[in-house]
Amino acid sequence: MSTCATASRDAAEPVAGTSATARTWLLVEQTGPWGTEALTESHLDPRIGRALETAADGTGVRVALVRRPGRHADCHGSVARRAFLAHTAPDRPWIRTGSVTEPEALLRLDFARLGAGEHDGLWDPYDGEPLVFVCTNGKRDRCCAILGRPLASELADSGAEAWEITHIGGHRFSPTLFVLPYGYAYGRASAPLVKDAVASAREGRILLDHCRGRSTWERPGQAAELAVRELIREDRADAIDVVHSEAVPPPDDVSGGNDDTDEGAAGPGHEGAVATAPMTPTTWATTPPPMTPKPLAPSVPLGAPAAPAAPAAPGALGSPATPAAPAPPAADRRADTPALTWAVTIAHRDGRTWRVMVEQRADGAPAPVSCGSPLGRPARMAVLAVLPLSCPGRASVPSAPSPDHPTRATAPPELPISPPSRTTTPFELPADRPTRAPHPTRATAPSELRLG
């Protein structure tokens, strides 16, 4: 049987930069069946579900229903249900959990503060095993049920803290899931891979294989972060931060595109964003609802415009980050339409910073975005180059204006994303943790790319 998942797998469609976006998750247990729009099509009162969606809109909080794997007995009446709140930003991840008898009480939550990472002592801290949420809503897409439910059951039987969840986008990457507390999503997952991801999360690390990205960031930030992690082989969850992201004109020297590439629009409210032709919803990467720009720094209130920042070194840790323009649906590219490109600043906690150029493309083979949908070219985030900005212990060289662009500083030498030959380790692993052997299919970085 041909499905969107098999078509995507056969086309070797990349999964990086496709995670659902949520700085904070509100996950509410709801037994029984789920409809396509689970918050309003389940045995949760649809008025409450609709009100939760409205309350969370624009705050950085994403609401979803969850249930334990297995047969889904429909528990009618007023029963206590489990609820989780989880914030996923680096250096500030937390999980709170409580028992909710009356779902209406959730409407009294301060969603803006929750999205900004402030729980105000609500409920109890969760200190158990990492939580795994597998997308299993067959009414949304049959691949999620066919591939997701067996995986969720296998994980639960093995003792993992596994839950089923209504929708996290990316049906064609089924089975797909995310792991808390750090919020990294995975696609085309297997039980051994998920167990490795859980073991990594237990140690404060992440698994890079099959990783779709951290839900904290918009999709350009997700792709940029994973590119830097692959380059320096960094798996510590909170070692990398996305500190700035902006839509920019595509650089002539690293465009990497061609005239028949499909693109989308950058969205309103971003200087340098490129307006394009009307957008075609059927070619959107993971068919999410329209996204509004969200600040990337906890210090900026979510849902409000980013305040002007004091001058700081590009990518300096702690400097306010501007929101990434949300990656929109792709449309057929015209000859006079430039590509949509982002410049994303990535910072390591040891002081290193990079500027990553990310371009939205839709240049793959035609494929369905979900089962039953028309053929389209799903959008993807392509990393064009990784440019080092700073390195601890080295004097920084000021950038000079480019003769072609008087207002644009000349970029440092590019580190193109290409198959490297070997790696160096920029940090020492704990003595009690053996160094991992290189992945048999993953290229490693040449020694000249060592930045510190």
Side-chain angles (χ1 to χ4, degrees):
M1 176 177 62
S2 178
T3 64
C4 64
T6 57
S8 176
R9 189 188 301 268
D10 291 346
E13 182 184 356
V15 302
T18 65
S19 174
T21 56
R23 291 181 65 82
T24 303
W25 292 87
L26 172 57
L27 307 169
V28 184
E29 184 177 11
Q30 177 59 55
T31 58
W34 295 335
T36 302
E37 302 294 335
L39 279 175
T40 55
E41 297 176 2
S42 69
H43 288 168
L44 176 69
D45 186 331
R47 294 180 299 107
I48 297 174
R50 195 172 295 110
L52 286 172
E53 285 182 325
T54 302
D57 186 39
T59 66
V61 179
R62 186 178 178 114
V63 186
L65 302 182
V66 299
R67 63 191 178 193
R68 286 294 193 181
R71 299 189 62 182
H72 303 121
D74 199 354
C75 301
H76 293 277
S78 178
V79 296
R81 62 189 77 202
R82 190 82 175 270
F84 295 97
L85 275 166
H87 187 66
T88 62
D91 295 328
R92 304 190 65 192
W94 48 255
I95 304 176
R96 312 287 292 189
T97 186
S99 179
V100 177
T101 304
E102 299 296 335
E104 306 95 277
L106 298 172
L107 297 174
R108 295 193 290 271
L109 296 176
D110 189 334
F111 285 86
R113 285 187 60 78
L114 291 172
E118 304 297 336
H119 57 70
D120 298 324
L122 180 69
W123 300 341
D124 298 316
Y126 176 83
D127 56 3
E129 285 287 290
L131 296 165
V132 181
F133 296 91
V134 184
C135 188
T136 63
N137 190 356
K139 291 293 181 68
R140 190 89 185 195
D141 190 281
R142 65 183 178 183
C143 286
C144 297
I146 294 171
L147 301 173
R149 291 192 65 186
L151 176 61
S153 295
E154 182 176 353
L155 293 172
D157 291 343
S158 70
E161 274 294 322
W163 294 76
E164 297 184 5
I165 191 169
T166 49
H167 179 56
I168 59 172
H171 319 296
R172 64 189 183 282
F173 303 125
S174 296
T176 183
L177 55 97
F178 70 95
V179 180
L180 292 176
Y182 304 113
Y184 284 91
Y186 297 88
R188 303 187 188 119
S190 63
L193 180 138
V194 178
K195 292 172 184 177
D196 286 347
V198 169
S200 296
R202 194 182 296 123
E203 299 175 358
R205 299 177 181 268
I206 70 165
L207 190 69
L208 291 174
D209 294 341
H210 295 260
C211 189
R212 297 176 60 191
R214 190 170 194 161
S215 71
T216 316
W217 319 122
E218 298 284 357
R219 291 187 174 94
Q222 295 173 14
E225 183 210 2
L226 291 178
V228 170
R229 284 187 178 277
E230 288 283 359
L231 183 67
I232 66 173
R233 303 302 295 274
E234 176 61 85
D235 66 351
R236 291 175 294 182
D238 288 340
I240 300 288
D241 200 357
V242 178
V243 296
H244 188 85
S245 182
E246 62 180 338
V248 297
D252 297 334
D253 52 344
V254 292
S255 63
N258 54 60
D259 289 341
D260 59 357
T261 301
D262 296 345
E263 312 296 344
H270 294 272
E271 295 181 6
V274 181
T276 66
M279 298 178 288
T280 306
T282 56
T283 54
W284 171 231
T286 48
T287 58
M291 294 184 293
T292 55
K294 293 186 283 292
L296 295 176
S299 59
V300 181
L302 291 169
L317 283 171
S319 60
T322 58
D332 289 340
R333 181 180 179 182
R334 290 169 168 76
D336 58 349
T337 302
L340 181 60
T341 308
W342 291 266
V344 183
T345 302
I346 302 293
H348 195 286
R349 68 184 182 190
D350 66 8
R352 287 176 291 170
T353 57
W354 298 263
R355 186 178 191 229
V356 184
M357 304 304 298
V358 182
E359 182 181 79
Q360 179 177 290
R361 294 180 177 176
D363 51 3
V369 171
S370 59
C371 291
S373 68
L375 292 180
R377 285 186 170 87
R380 67 182 179 92
M381 293 293 149
V383 174
L384 306 180
V386 177
L387 315 173
L389 293 178
S390 64
C391 181
R394 295 186 183 181
S396 60
V397 179
S399 297
S402 165
D404 297 327
H405 301 279
T407 60
R408 184 188 302 171
T410 304
E414 296 170 18
L415 301 184
I417 303 301
S418 58
S421 59
R422 72 180 182 86
T423 188
T424 56
T425 304
F427 60 89
E428 295 295 327
L429 292 172
D432 59 347
R433 184 176 183 272
T435 303
R436 295 182 177 177
H439 192 281
T441 61
R442 182 185 296 156
T444 51
S447 58
E448 59 267 22
L449 298 189
R450 184 175 184 178
L451 305 177

